[in-house]
Amino acid sequence: MTAIRIGIVGYGNLGKGVEKSIRQNSDMELVAIFTRRDPQSIQAKVPVVSLDEAESYKGKVDVMILCGGSATDLPEQGPQLARMFHTVDSFDTHARIPEYFESVNSVAAANGHISVISTGWDPGLFSLNRLLFQSILPEGNEYTFWGRGVSQGHSDAIRRVEGVKNGVQYTIPSEEAVAQVRAGQNPKLGTRDKHVRECFVVAEAGADQARIEAEIKSMPNYFADYDTIVHFISEEELKANHSAMPHGGLVFRSGVTGEGTSQIMEFGLNLGSNPEFTASVLVAYARAVYKLAARGESGARTVFDIPFGLMSPKSPEQLRKELL
Amino acid sequence: MTAIRIGIVGYGNLGKGVEKSIRQNSDMELVAIFTRRDPQSIQAKVPVVSLDEAESYKGKVDVMILCGGSATDLPEQGPQLARMFHTVDSFDTHARIPEYFESVNSVAAANGHISVISTGWDPGLFSLNRLLFQSILPEGNEYTFWGRGVSQGHSDAIRRVEGVKNGVQYTIPSEEAVAQVRAGQNPKLGTRDKHVRECFVVAEAGADQARIEAEIKSMPNYFADYDTIVHFISEEELKANHSAMPHGGLVFRSGVTGEGTSQIMEFGLNLGSNPEFTASVLVAYARAVYKLAARGESGARTVFDIPFGLMSPKSPEQLRKELL
């Protein structure tokens, strides 16, 4: 069997995660890394190529995995690369997905390429489970909890407070709320009931810690509506214990069938590294892209359109025998 | 929009569950119930028809939902009905799935029908999650726990013990084992570590309860390898508190990415009624069958071949906008 030839576009945390994930998948081979930066500035085991020269890799890359950001990179790179290659991405600006889908779909369809957009876990696996849950249990309540995980937006907000040198914020699901949902109590949960926010803060020398803590806890939108815990720690401690990027969460549906029979469905992720996991999801969907392309399909797709069998290196016969 | 016209084949617990589930899905309509029994013996709000006369419903039923047992009903009825109708079933004899698939596939393909086999939750949703999990995390350990739920086989075994009038057995996942897996400890779990067996037994008047308890606990295959709890209760108590058919379980993958980063995926069901839930899964897949048939597809399919989007009454545009 020939390996699926992969190109990575963008070599940040996500792109590096894809590189690692490909090593775990023996049916895949990394061909090159494409970057907007100076290719000389990146050290890698495969050629690093300027994104401007991507076209020279037509016929040499089966699937391009797009690892740029959703704010500015992907709206441009998605359609641009779908003109030349089959692609997969993790575009995650929920509100702009329909627009992004149209823009990628028209280019991919016109050029005979397949592009799976908005994979990853939210959007992605969480969306899939919400869809599955509500299709099976049309009557019920849905709950989503995020964390325990680092929120970049909230960490940035901490770092903007005067006297703060550095900081990391964890979003943590309320154990009590999760237990109530698991027990089928269908609780009505306000913002404060669902998540706790825990902050690890490095203060500037001589800064007033009580003032910093009060300022964080009362910050509108970010912290005021939550129970917030603030710890002051040293820069060394922050580097040593809070440099990883864990995340995860839980999606529930607490539904009823028949005459009020309780039925609860649950999907959960507990991720040691958010970018490495998202990268692994991208790689599995890259395999699906490859199989769809081999069938001659074209246009944009989402996770809702992709049968799970296409993500596996195993044949349909093998899957029925071993996994069903 | 015209409703999807459904026929139910077999009117036991599962068929009755399908009838209730259809009431929760406004895009579906129950046309008739088909039975091997005397149709006069069944009271229902729709026509009850002898299975021998199913052919007269060609053109009047869009999808037949097969609710017979896997031991003897489905191996015969699956191919028989796929000749005349699009079908969906929950065939659950794992070892015989490849053979059943071939037998339904040849008939369905030759007659231009679509048949989705082996839906439900195990096989079905659990299989889907195992496939998803191992596709995303190729390196890792998989764990399945069943319960808390009634095991018919173990309940039957209790009732065969001399002096036992009636009994129900619950399979219960070990809380400690589940906690270890959730914490990423990758425990090696033996049979006794994973599940506890709890028995509610009604003894005959004057029977020796100590002997019954000892006999249950030492029964090979069924109980000897487990920690087993035996309660003696009255027949009234059994009827009042143990007539429901709860079940469920948990599927985990505890995997690694990159340089040993822990990543844990989890899927869980806590079902008040096993047959009502399985019925709801069948109904969602019946919708997928209807959509595949409208595309002109034919042959047998499994849950691995069905994109989740097809199970929803919503359009692809709506799904992208509301759920992704």
Side-chain angles (χ1 to χ4, degrees):
Chain A
M1 197 177 105
T2 21
I4 304 171
R5 297 166 304 170
I6 302 287
I8 292 174
V9 180
Y11 198 59
N13 287 325
L14 189 56
K16 286 171 188 159
V18 168
E19 185 181 22
K20 289 173 191 164
S21 173
I22 289 170
R23 282 186 219 133
Q24 295 185 310
N25 288 279
S26 59
D27 62 337
M28 298 196 174
E29 176 196 348
L30 180 59
V31 171
I33 291 159
F34 299 85
T35 179
R36 285 170 318 167
R37 290 184 271 166
D38 175 8
Q40 305 286 345
S41 70
I42 296 172
Q43 291 247 323
K45 289 180 186 158
V46 296
V48 180
V49 182
S50 166
L51 189 50
D52 298 335
E53 289 161 37
E55 192 136 23
S56 67
Y57 275 77
K58 278 189 74 165
K60 297 178 194 162
V61 164
D62 294 314
V63 184
M64 282 289 196
I65 301 184
L66 312 189
C67 300
S70 297
T72 56
D73 297 335
L74 290 176
E76 189 183 312
Q77 293 171 6
Q80 182 189 344
L81 285 151
R83 188 176 59 77
M84 302 180 269
F85 300 97
H86 307 298
T87 67
V88 59
D89 68 50
S90 57
F91 182 81
D92 67 0
T93 314
H94 292 266
R96 299 190 61 192
I97 286 174
E99 174 192 345
Y100 182 68
F101 179 89
E102 293 306 332
S103 115
V104 172
N105 183 51
S106 59
V107 179
N111 291 277
H113 292 131
I114 273 281
S115 294
V116 180
I117 70 158
S118 299
T119 74
W121 58 276
D122 195 6
L125 305 188
F126 274 19
S127 327
L128 273 171
N129 277 284
R130 289 187 197 109
L131 169 54
L132 177 73
F133 294 178
Q134 68 174 230
S135 298
I136 292 174
L137 300 174
E139 295 176 17
N141 295 315
E142 183 186 292
Y143 297 90
T144 301
F145 296 91
W146 286 277
R148 181 180 181 257
V150 172
S151 160
Q152 292 304 338
H154 290 81
S155 300
D156 289 346
I158 293 173
R159 291 190 287 258
R160 286 193 296 266
V161 172
E162 205 191 309
V164 170
K165 202 174 161 198
N166 209 340
V168 168
Q169 192 266 187
Y170 295 90
T171 307
I172 304 171
S174 154
E175 281 181 32
E176 194 189 329
V178 170
Q180 286 171 355
V181 173
R182 276 214 181 106
Q185 294 172 17
N186 283 290
K188 285 214 192 320
L189 299 170
T191 301
R192 191 178 298 272
D193 306 318
K194 288 185 71 182
H195 296 96
V196 173
R197 301 203 173 275
E198 188 171 24
C199 309
F200 293 86
V201 179
V202 182
E204 306 275 8
D208 178 350
Q209 298 194 351
R211 196 255 315 145
I212 291 174
E213 179 166 344
E215 214 165 300
I216 290 172
K217 287 186 171 175
S218 62
M219 203 185 294
N221 303 319
Y222 287 94
F223 296 101
D225 298 335
Y226 297 86
D227 289 336
T228 301
I229 304 158
V230 177
H231 308 280
F232 288 94
I233 61 173
S234 69
E235 183 87 49
E236 295 68 42
E237 217 178 323
L238 191 82
K239 288 260 179 315
N241 301 330
H242 303 284
S243 294
M245 283 169 283
H247 220 309
L250 296 160
V251 179
F252 288 93
R253 190 159 184 94
S254 183
V256 289
T257 57
E259 279 87 50
T261 308
S262 162
Q263 310 275 17
I264 301 172
M265 307 178 74
E266 170 177 358
F267 179 78
L269 296 173
N270 180 357
L271 309 175
S273 162
N274 184 359
E276 285 183 12
F277 184 80
T278 302
S280 296
V281 178
L282 276 164
V283 166
Y285 277 101
R287 187 180 288 115
V289 166
Y290 180 78
K291 292 188 190 181
L292 287 171
R295 291 183 186 172
E297 296 200 17
S298 65
R301 301 285 188 279
T302 75
V303 294
F304 298 153
D305 307 310
I306 311 293
F308 283 9
L310 296 182
M311 282 191 266
S312 172
K314 297 179 179 172
S315 71
E317 293 74 22
Q318 226 183 331
L319 291 176
R320 287 194 292 270
K321 186 159 187 262
E322 296 172 11
L323 274 169
L324 199 58
Chain B
M1 195 177 105
T2 21
I4 304 171
R5 300 167 300 171
I6 302 287
I8 292 174
V9 180
Y11 198 58
N13 287 324
L14 188 57
K16 286 172 188 159
V18 168
E19 183 181 24
K20 290 173 190 164
S21 174
I22 289 170
R23 282 187 219 133
Q24 294 185 311
N25 288 280
S26 60
D27 62 338
M28 298 196 174
E29 176 197 346
L30 179 59
V31 172
I33 291 160
F34 300 85
T35 180
R36 285 171 317 168
R37 290 184 271 165
D38 173 10
Q40 306 288 347
S41 70
I42 297 172
Q43 291 248 324
K45 289 179 187 157
V46 297
V48 180
V49 181
S50 166
L51 189 51
D52 298 333
E53 288 161 38
E55 193 138 22
S56 67
Y57 275 78
K58 277 188 76 164
K60 297 179 196 163
V61 164
D62 295 313
V63 184
M64 282 287 195
I65 302 185
L66 312 189
C67 300
S70 296
T72 56
D73 297 335
L74 291 176
E76 187 184 314
Q77 294 171 4
Q80 181 190 343
L81 286 150
R83 187 175 61 77
M84 301 180 271
F85 299 97
H86 307 297
T87 68
V88 59
D89 67 51
S90 57
F91 182 81
D92 67 0
T93 313
H94 292 268
R96 298 189 62 190
I97 286 175
E99 174 193 344
Y100 182 68
F101 178 88
E102 293 306 332
S103 116
V104 173
N105 183 51
S106 58
V107 178
N111 291 279
H113 292 130
I114 274 281
S115 295
V116 180
I117 68 158
S118 298
T119 73
W121 60 276
D122 195 7
L125 306 188
F126 275 19
S127 327
L128 272 171
N129 278 283
R130 290 188 196 108
L131 170 54
L132 178 73
F133 293 180
Q134 69 173 232
S135 298
I136 291 173
L137 299 174
E139 296 176 16
N141 295 314
E142 183 185 292
Y143 297 90
T144 300
F145 297 90
W146 286 277
R148 183 179 180 264
V150 172
S151 160
Q152 292 305 339
H154 289 80
S155 300
D156 289 345
I158 293 174
R159 291 189 287 256
R160 286 193 297 265
V161 172
E162 205 191 308
V164 171
K165 198 173 163 199
N166 209 340
V168 168
Q169 191 265 188
Y170 295 90
T171 306
I172 305 171
S174 153
E175 280 183 31
E176 195 190 331
V178 170
Q180 286 172 354
V181 173
R182 276 211 180 108
Q185 294 173 17
N186 283 288
K188 285 214 192 325
L189 299 171
T191 302
R192 190 178 297 274
D193 305 320
K194 290 184 71 184
H195 296 96
V196 173
R197 301 202 173 277
E198 188 171 23
C199 310
F200 293 86
V201 180
V202 182
E204 307 276 7
D208 178 352
Q209 298 194 351
R211 197 255 316 147
I212 290 174
E213 180 167 345
E215 213 166 303
I216 290 173
K217 287 185 172 176
S218 61
M219 201 185 294
N221 302 319
Y222 287 94
F223 295 101
D225 298 334
Y226 297 85
D227 289 336
T228 302
I229 303 158
V230 177
H231 308 279
F232 288 92
I233 59 173
S234 69
E235 183 88 49
E236 295 67 42
E237 216 178 324
L238 192 84
K239 287 260 181 315
N241 302 330
H242 304 283
S243 295
M245 282 169 283
H247 220 309
L250 296 160
V251 179
F252 288 95
R253 190 159 184 93
S254 181
V256 290
T257 58
E259 280 88 49
T261 308
S262 163
Q263 310 276 17
I264 301 172
M265 307 178 76
E266 172 177 357
F267 179 78
L269 297 173
N270 181 356
L271 310 176
S273 162
N274 185 358
E276 284 184 12
F277 184 79
T278 301
S280 296
V281 177
L282 276 164
V283 166
Y285 276 102
R287 186 180 288 115
V289 165
Y290 180 79
K291 292 189 190 181
L292 287 170
R295 291 183 187 172
E297 296 201 17
S298 65
R301 300 284 188 278
T302 75
V303 293
F304 298 153
D305 308 309
I306 311 293
F308 283 11
L310 295 183
M311 282 189 266
S312 172
K314 298 179 180 173
S315 72
E317 295 72 24
Q318 226 183 332
L319 291 176
R320 286 193 293 271
K321 186 159 189 264
E322 296 172 12
L323 274 171
L324 198 59

